[in-house]
Amino acid sequence: MEYFVYCRNKPDVDDLRAEHLEAHWAFMDQYDTRMIARGPTLTEDRTAPTGSMHIVDLESAEEAQHFA
């Protein structure tokens, strides 16, 4: 089943985001064959990330919860 996951950054998250970037991509790589679409969401002027969106083919709501 396809799931849409929309994530919004908390304010002042840049340092925390940078700290966990490598672990984030390692986690996301586990889903590379089931990822339909993904990408950052941006500020209106497109200069800074505000979060991300993903459309991913997962087996269950439980797996979607784990992914999110």
Coordinates of all heavy atoms in Angstrom, one line a residue:
M1 N 0.8 -1.2 0.0 CA 0.0 0.0 0.0 C 0.9 1.2 0.0 O 1.9 1.3 0.6 CB -0.9 0.0 1.2 CG -1.8 1.2 1.4 SD -2.9 1.1 2.7 CE -4.2 0.1 1.9
E2 N 0.5 2.3 -0.7 CA 1.2 3.5 -0.8 C 0.8 4.4 0.4 O -0.3 4.6 0.6 CB 1.0 4.2 -2.1 CG 1.5 3.3 -3.3 CD 1.1 3.8 -4.6 OE1 0.4 4.8 -4.7 OE2 1.5 3.2 -5.6
Y3 N 1.9 5.0 1.0 CA 1.7 5.9 2.1 C 2.3 7.2 1.8 O 3.4 7.3 1.2 CB 2.3 5.4 3.4 CG 1.5 4.2 4.0 CD1 1.8 2.9 3.6 CD2 0.5 4.4 4.9 CE1 1.1 1.8 4.1 CE2 -0.2 3.3 5.5 CZ 0.1 2.1 5.0 OH -0.6 1.0 5.6
F4 N 1.7 8.3 2.2 CA 2.2 9.7 2.0 C 2.6 10.1 3.4 O 1.8 10.1 4.4 CB 1.1 10.6 1.5 CG 1.6 12.0 1.4 CD1 2.4 12.4 0.3 CD2 1.2 13.0 2.3 CE1 2.8 13.8 0.2 CE2 1.7 14.3 2.3 CZ 2.5 14.7 1.2
V5 N 3.9 10.5 3.6 CA 4.4 10.9 4.8 C 4.9 12.4 4.7 O 5.8 12.6 3.8 CB 5.6 10.0 5.3 CG1 6.1 10.5 6.7 CG2 5.1 8.6 5.4
Y6 N 4.4 13.3 5.4 CA 4.8 14.7 5.4 C 5.4 15.1 6.7 O 4.8 14.8 7.8 CB 3.6 15.6 5.1 CG 3.8 17.0 5.2 CD1 4.6 17.7 4.3 CD2 3.2 17.8 6.2 CE1 4.9 19.0 4.4 CE2 3.4 19.2 6.3 CZ 4.2 19.8 5.4 OH 4.5 21.1 5.4
C7 N 6.6 15.5 6.7 CA 7.3 15.9 7.9 C 7.6 17.4 7.9 O 8.1 17.9 6.9 CB 8.6 15.1 8.0 SG 8.4 13.3 7.9
R8 N 7.4 18.0 9.1 CA 7.8 19.4 9.2 C 8.9 19.6 10.2 O 8.9 19.0 11.3 CB 6.5 20.3 9.6 CG 5.5 20.3 8.6 CD 4.3 21.2 9.0 NE 3.9 20.9 10.3 CZ 3.0 21.7 11.0 NH1 2.6 22.8 10.4 NH2 2.6 21.4 12.2
N9 N 9.8 20.5 9.9 CA 10.9 20.7 10.8 C 10.4 21.6 12.0 O 9.6 22.5 11.8 CB 12.0 21.5 10.1 CG 12.8 20.7 9.1 OD1 12.6 19.5 9.0 ND2 13.6 21.3 8.3
K10 N 11.0 21.3 13.1 CA 10.8 22.2 14.3 C 11.6 23.4 14.1 O 12.7 23.4 13.4 CB 11.2 21.5 15.6 CG 10.4 20.3 15.9 CD 10.8 19.7 17.2 CE 10.0 18.5 17.6 NZ 10.4 17.9 18.9
P11 N 11.3 24.5 14.8 CA 12.1 25.7 14.6 C 13.6 25.4 15.2 O 13.8 24.6 16.1 CB 11.4 26.7 15.6 CG 10.0 26.2 15.7 CD 10.1 24.7 15.6
D12 N 14.5 26.1 14.6 CA 15.9 26.0 15.0 C 16.5 24.6 15.0 O 17.2 24.2 16.0 CB 16.1 26.7 16.4 CG 15.7 28.2 16.3 OD1 16.0 28.9 15.4 OD2 15.0 28.6 17.3
V13 N 16.2 23.8 14.0 CA 16.6 22.4 14.0 C 17.8 22.2 13.2 O 18.3 21.1 13.1 CB 15.4 21.6 13.4 CG1 15.2 21.8 11.9 CG2 15.5 20.1 13.8
D14 N 18.4 23.2 12.6 CA 19.5 23.0 11.7 C 20.7 22.2 12.3 O 21.2 21.3 11.6 CB 20.0 24.4 11.1 CG 19.0 25.0 10.3 OD1 18.1 24.4 9.8 OD2 19.1 26.3 10.1
D15 N 21.1 22.5 13.5 CA 22.3 21.8 14.1 C 21.9 20.3 14.3 O 22.7 19.5 14.1 CB 22.7 22.5 15.4 CG 23.4 23.8 15.2 OD1 23.8 24.1 14.1 OD2 23.4 24.6 16.1
L16 N 20.7 20.1 14.8 CA 20.3 18.7 15.1 C 20.2 18.0 13.8 O 20.6 16.8 13.7 CB 18.9 18.7 15.8 CG 18.4 17.4 16.3 CD1 19.3 16.7 17.2 CD2 17.0 17.5 16.9
R17 N 19.6 18.6 12.8 CA 19.5 18.0 11.4 C 20.9 17.6 10.9 O 21.1 16.5 10.4 CB 18.8 19.0 10.5 CG 18.5 18.5 9.1 CD 17.9 19.6 8.3 NE 17.6 19.2 7.0 CZ 16.3 18.9 6.6 NH1 15.3 19.0 7.4 NH2 16.1 18.5 5.3
A18 N 21.9 18.5 11.0 CA 23.2 18.2 10.5 C 23.8 17.0 11.3 O 24.5 16.2 10.8 CB 24.1 19.4 10.6
E19 N 23.6 17.0 12.6 CA 24.1 15.9 13.5 C 23.6 14.5 13.1 O 24.4 13.6 13.2 CB 23.8 16.2 14.9 CG 24.3 15.2 15.9 CD 23.8 15.6 17.3 OE1 23.5 16.8 17.6 OE2 23.7 14.6 18.2
H20 N 22.4 14.4 12.6 CA 21.8 13.1 12.3 C 21.7 12.8 10.8 O 21.1 11.8 10.4 CB 20.4 13.1 13.0 CG 20.5 13.1 14.4 ND1 20.8 11.9 15.2 CD2 20.3 14.1 15.3 CE1 20.8 12.2 16.4 NE2 20.5 13.5 16.6
L21 N 22.3 13.7 10.0 CA 22.2 13.5 8.6 C 22.6 12.1 8.0 O 21.9 11.5 7.3 CB 22.9 14.6 7.8 CG 22.7 14.7 6.4 CD1 21.2 15.0 6.1 CD2 23.5 15.9 5.8
E22 N 23.8 11.7 8.5 CA 24.3 10.4 8.0 C 23.4 9.2 8.4 O 23.1 8.4 7.6 CB 25.7 10.2 8.5 CG 26.4 8.9 7.9 CD 27.8 8.8 8.4 OE1 28.5 9.8 8.5 OE2 28.3 7.6 8.6
A23 N 22.9 9.2 9.7 CA 22.0 8.2 10.1 C 20.7 8.3 9.4 O 20.1 7.2 9.1 CB 21.8 8.3 11.6
H24 N 20.2 9.5 9.1 CA 19.0 9.7 8.3 C 19.1 9.0 7.0 O 18.2 8.2 6.6 CB 18.7 11.1 8.2 CG 17.6 11.5 7.2 ND1 16.3 11.2 7.4 CD2 17.7 12.0 5.9 CE1 15.6 11.6 6.3 NE2 16.5 12.0 5.4
W25 N 20.2 9.3 6.2 CA 20.3 8.7 4.9 C 20.5 7.2 5.0 O 20.0 6.4 4.1 CB 21.4 9.4 4.1 CG 21.0 10.7 3.7 CD1 21.4 11.9 4.1 CD2 19.9 11.0 2.8 NE1 20.7 12.9 3.4 CE2 19.8 12.4 2.6 CE3 19.0 10.2 2.0 CZ2 18.8 13.0 1.8 CZ3 18.1 10.8 1.2 CH2 18.0 12.2 1.1
A26 N 21.2 6.7 6.0 CA 21.3 5.2 6.1 C 20.0 4.6 6.3 O 19.7 3.5 5.8 CB 22.3 4.9 7.3
F27 N 19.1 5.2 7.1 CA 17.8 4.7 7.3 C 17.0 4.7 6.0 O 16.3 3.8 5.6 CB 17.1 5.5 8.4 CG 15.7 5.1 8.7 CD1 15.4 4.0 9.5 CD2 14.6 5.7 8.1 CE1 14.1 3.6 9.7 CE2 13.3 5.4 8.3 CZ 13.0 4.3 9.1
M28 N 17.0 5.9 5.3 CA 16.3 6.0 4.1 C 16.7 5.0 3.0 O 15.9 4.6 2.2 CB 16.4 7.5 3.6 CG 15.8 8.5 4.5 SD 14.0 8.2 4.8 CE 13.3 8.8 3.3
D29 N 18.0 4.7 3.0 CA 18.5 3.8 2.0 C 17.8 2.4 2.1 O 17.8 1.7 1.1 CB 20.0 3.6 2.1 CG 20.8 4.8 1.6 OD1 20.2 5.7 0.9 OD2 22.0 4.9 1.9
Q30 N 17.3 2.0 3.3 CA 16.6 0.8 3.4 C 15.4 0.7 2.6 O 14.8 -0.4 2.3 CB 16.3 0.5 4.9 CG 17.5 0.5 5.8 CD 17.0 0.4 7.3 OE1 16.3 -0.6 7.7 NE2 17.3 1.4 8.0
Y31 N 14.8 1.9 2.2 CA 13.6 2.0 1.5 C 13.7 2.4 0.1 O 12.7 2.6 -0.6 CB 12.6 3.0 2.2 CG 12.3 2.5 3.6 CD1 13.0 2.9 4.7 CD2 11.2 1.7 3.8 CE1 12.7 2.5 6.0 CE2 10.8 1.2 5.1 CZ 11.6 1.7 6.2 OH 11.2 1.2 7.4
D32 N 14.9 2.4 -0.5 CA 15.2 2.9 -1.8 C 14.4 2.2 -2.9 O 13.9 2.9 -3.8 CB 16.7 3.0 -2.1 CG 17.3 1.6 -2.2 OD1 16.8 0.6 -1.7 OD2 18.4 1.6 -2.8
T33 N 14.2 0.9 -2.8 CA 13.4 0.2 -3.8 C 11.9 0.4 -3.7 O 11.2 0.1 -4.6 CB 13.7 -1.3 -3.9 OG1 13.3 -1.8 -2.6 CG2 15.2 -1.5 -4.1
R34 N 11.4 0.9 -2.6 CA 10.0 1.1 -2.4 C 9.6 2.6 -2.3 O 8.4 2.9 -2.2 CB 9.6 0.4 -1.1 CG 9.9 -1.1 -1.1 CD 9.3 -1.9 0.0 NE 10.1 -1.6 1.2 CZ 9.7 -1.9 2.4 NH1 8.5 -2.4 2.6 NH2 10.5 -1.7 3.4
M35 N 10.6 3.4 -2.5 CA 10.3 4.9 -2.6 C 9.7 5.3 -3.9 O 10.3 5.0 -5.0 CB 11.6 5.6 -2.3 CG 11.4 7.0 -1.8 SD 10.6 7.3 -0.2 CE 11.9 6.6 0.9
I36 N 8.6 5.9 -3.9 CA 7.9 6.3 -5.1 C 8.3 7.7 -5.4 O 8.6 8.1 -6.6 CB 6.4 6.1 -5.0 CG1 6.1 4.7 -4.9 CG2 5.7 6.8 -6.2 CD1 4.7 4.4 -4.4
A37 N 8.3 8.6 -4.4 CA 8.7 10.0 -4.5 C 9.2 10.5 -3.2 O 8.7 10.0 -2.2 CB 7.6 10.8 -5.0
R38 N 10.1 11.4 -3.2 CA 10.5 12.0 -1.9 C 11.2 13.3 -2.2 O 11.7 13.5 -3.3 CB 11.4 11.1 -1.2 CG 12.8 10.9 -1.8 CD 13.6 10.0 -0.9 NE 14.9 9.6 -1.6 CZ 15.7 8.7 -1.2 NH1 15.5 8.1 -0.1 NH2 16.8 8.4 -1.9
G39 N 11.3 14.2 -1.3 CA 12.0 15.4 -1.4 C 11.8 16.4 -0.3 O 10.9 16.2 0.5
P40 N 12.6 17.4 -0.3 CA 12.4 18.4 0.8 C 11.2 19.3 0.5 O 10.8 19.5 -0.7 CB 13.7 19.2 0.7 CG 14.1 19.1 -0.7 CD 13.7 17.7 -1.2
T41 N 10.7 19.9 1.5 CA 9.8 21.0 1.3 C 10.6 22.3 1.7 O 11.5 22.2 2.5 CB 8.5 20.9 2.2 OG1 8.9 20.8 3.6 CG2 7.7 19.7 1.8
L42 N 10.2 23.4 1.1 CA 11.1 24.6 1.2 C 10.3 25.8 1.6 O 9.1 25.8 1.4 CB 11.8 24.9 -0.2 CG 12.6 23.7 -0.7 CD1 13.1 24.0 -2.1 CD2 13.8 23.5 0.2
T43 N 11.0 26.8 2.1 CA 10.4 28.1 2.3 C 9.8 28.7 1.0 O 10.2 28.2 -0.1 CB 11.4 29.1 3.0 OG1 12.5 29.2 2.1 CG2 11.8 28.7 4.3
E44 N 9.0 29.7 1.1 CA 8.4 30.2 -0.1 C 9.4 30.8 -1.1 O 9.2 30.6 -2.3 CB 7.4 31.4 0.4 CG 6.4 31.7 -0.7 CD 5.3 32.6 -0.2 OE1 4.7 32.3 0.9 OE2 5.1 33.7 -0.8
D45 N 10.5 31.3 -0.5 CA 11.6 31.8 -1.4 C 12.6 30.7 -1.8 O 13.6 30.9 -2.5 CB 12.3 32.9 -0.8 CG 13.1 32.6 0.4 OD1 13.1 31.4 0.8 OD2 13.7 33.5 1.0
R46 N 12.3 29.4 -1.4 CA 13.1 28.2 -1.8 C 14.5 28.3 -1.3 O 15.4 27.6 -1.9 CB 13.0 28.0 -3.3 CG 11.6 27.8 -3.8 CD 11.5 27.6 -5.3 NE 12.2 26.4 -5.7 CZ 11.7 25.2 -5.8 NH1 10.5 25.0 -5.5 NH2 12.5 24.2 -6.2
T47 N 14.8 29.0 -0.2 CA 16.2 29.1 0.3 C 16.5 28.2 1.5 O 17.7 28.1 1.8 CB 16.5 30.6 0.7 OG1 15.6 31.0 1.7 CG2 16.3 31.5 -0.5
A48 N 15.5 27.6 2.1 CA 15.7 26.8 3.3 C 14.7 25.7 3.4 O 13.5 25.9 3.0 CB 15.6 27.7 4.5
P49 N 15.1 24.5 3.9 CA 14.2 23.4 4.1 C 13.2 23.7 5.2 O 13.6 24.3 6.2 CB 15.1 22.2 4.3 CG 16.4 22.8 4.9 CD 16.5 24.2 4.3
T50 N 12.0 23.2 5.0 CA 11.0 23.3 6.1 C 10.6 21.9 6.5 O 9.8 21.8 7.5 CB 9.8 24.1 5.6 OG1 9.2 23.4 4.4 CG2 10.1 25.5 5.2
G51 N 11.0 20.9 5.8 CA 10.6 19.5 6.2 C 10.8 18.6 4.9 O 11.7 18.9 4.1
S52 N 10.0 17.6 4.8 CA 10.1 16.7 3.7 C 8.8 16.0 3.5 O 7.9 15.9 4.3 CB 11.2 15.6 4.0 OG 10.9 14.9 5.2
M53 N 8.7 15.4 2.3 CA 7.6 14.5 1.9 C 8.1 13.3 1.3 O 9.1 13.2 0.6 CB 6.6 15.3 1.1 CG 7.1 15.8 -0.3 SD 7.5 14.6 -1.6 CE 6.0 13.8 -1.8
H54 N 7.3 12.2 1.5 CA 7.7 10.9 1.0 C 6.4 10.2 0.6 O 5.4 10.2 1.3 CB 8.4 10.0 2.0 CG 9.6 10.7 2.6 ND1 9.4 11.6 3.7 CD2 10.9 10.7 2.3 CE1 10.6 12.0 4.0 NE2 11.5 11.5 3.2
I55 N 6.5 9.5 -0.6 CA 5.4 8.5 -0.9 C 6.2 7.2 -1.0 O 7.1 7.1 -1.8 CB 4.7 8.9 -2.3 CG1 4.1 10.3 -2.1 CG2 3.7 7.8 -2.6 CD1 3.6 10.8 -3.5
V56 N 5.8 6.3 -0.2 CA 6.5 5.0 -0.1 C 5.6 3.8 -0.1 O 4.5 3.9 0.5 CB 7.5 5.1 1.1 CG1 6.7 5.2 2.4 CG2 8.4 3.9 1.2
D57 N 5.9 2.7 -0.7 CA 5.1 1.5 -0.8 C 5.5 0.6 0.4 O 6.6 0.1 0.4 CB 5.3 0.8 -2.1 CG 4.4 -0.4 -2.3 OD1 3.4 -0.5 -1.6 OD2 4.7 -1.2 -3.2
L58 N 4.6 0.5 1.4 CA 4.9 -0.2 2.6 C 3.8 -1.3 2.8 O 2.7 -1.3 2.2 CB 4.9 0.7 3.8 CG 6.0 1.8 3.7 CD1 5.7 2.8 4.8 CD2 7.4 1.3 3.7
E59 N 4.2 -2.3 3.6 CA 3.3 -3.5 3.8 C 2.1 -3.2 4.7 O 1.1 -3.9 4.6 CB 4.2 -4.7 4.4 CG 5.2 -5.1 3.4 CD 4.7 -5.7 2.1 OE1 3.6 -6.4 2.2 OE2 5.2 -5.5 1.1
S60 N 2.3 -2.3 5.7 CA 1.3 -2.2 6.7 C 1.3 -0.8 7.4 O 2.3 -0.1 7.2 CB 1.4 -3.2 7.8 OG 2.7 -3.0 8.5
A61 N 0.3 -0.5 8.1 CA 0.2 0.8 8.9 C 1.4 0.8 9.9 O 2.0 1.8 10.2 CB -1.1 1.0 9.5
E62 N 1.7 -0.4 10.4 CA 2.7 -0.5 11.4 C 4.1 -0.1 10.8 O 4.9 0.5 11.4 CB 2.8 -1.9 12.1 CG 1.6 -2.2 13.0 CD 0.4 -2.6 12.2 OE1 0.4 -3.0 11.0 OE2 -0.7 -2.5 12.8
E63 N 4.3 -0.6 9.6 CA 5.6 -0.3 8.9 C 5.6 1.2 8.6 O 6.7 1.8 8.7 CB 5.7 -1.1 7.6 CG 7.1 -1.0 7.0 CD 7.4 -1.8 5.8 OE1 6.4 -2.3 5.2 OE2 8.5 -2.0 5.5
A64 N 4.5 1.7 8.2 CA 4.4 3.2 7.9 C 4.7 4.0 9.2 O 5.4 5.0 9.1 CB 3.0 3.6 7.4
Q65 N 4.2 3.5 10.3 CA 4.5 4.2 11.6 C 6.0 4.2 11.9 O 6.6 5.2 12.3 CB 3.7 3.6 12.7 CG 3.8 4.3 14.0 CD 3.0 5.6 14.0 OE1 2.1 5.8 13.2 NE2 3.4 6.5 14.8
H66 N 6.6 3.0 11.6 CA 8.1 2.9 11.9 C 8.8 3.8 10.9 O 9.8 4.5 11.3 CB 8.5 1.5 11.7 CG 10.0 1.3 11.7 ND1 10.7 1.3 12.9 CD2 10.9 1.1 10.8 CE1 12.0 1.1 12.7 NE2 12.1 1.0 11.4
F67 N 8.4 3.9 9.7 CA 9.1 4.7 8.7 C 9.0 6.2 9.1 O 9.9 6.9 9.1 CB 8.4 4.5 7.3 CG 9.0 5.5 6.3 CD1 10.1 5.1 5.6 CD2 8.4 6.7 6.0 CE1 10.7 6.0 4.6 CE2 8.9 7.5 5.0 CZ 10.1 7.2 4.4
A68 N 7.8 6.6 9.5 CA 7.6 8.0 9.9 C 8.4 8.3 11.2 O 8.9 9.4 11.3 CB 6.1 8.2 10.1

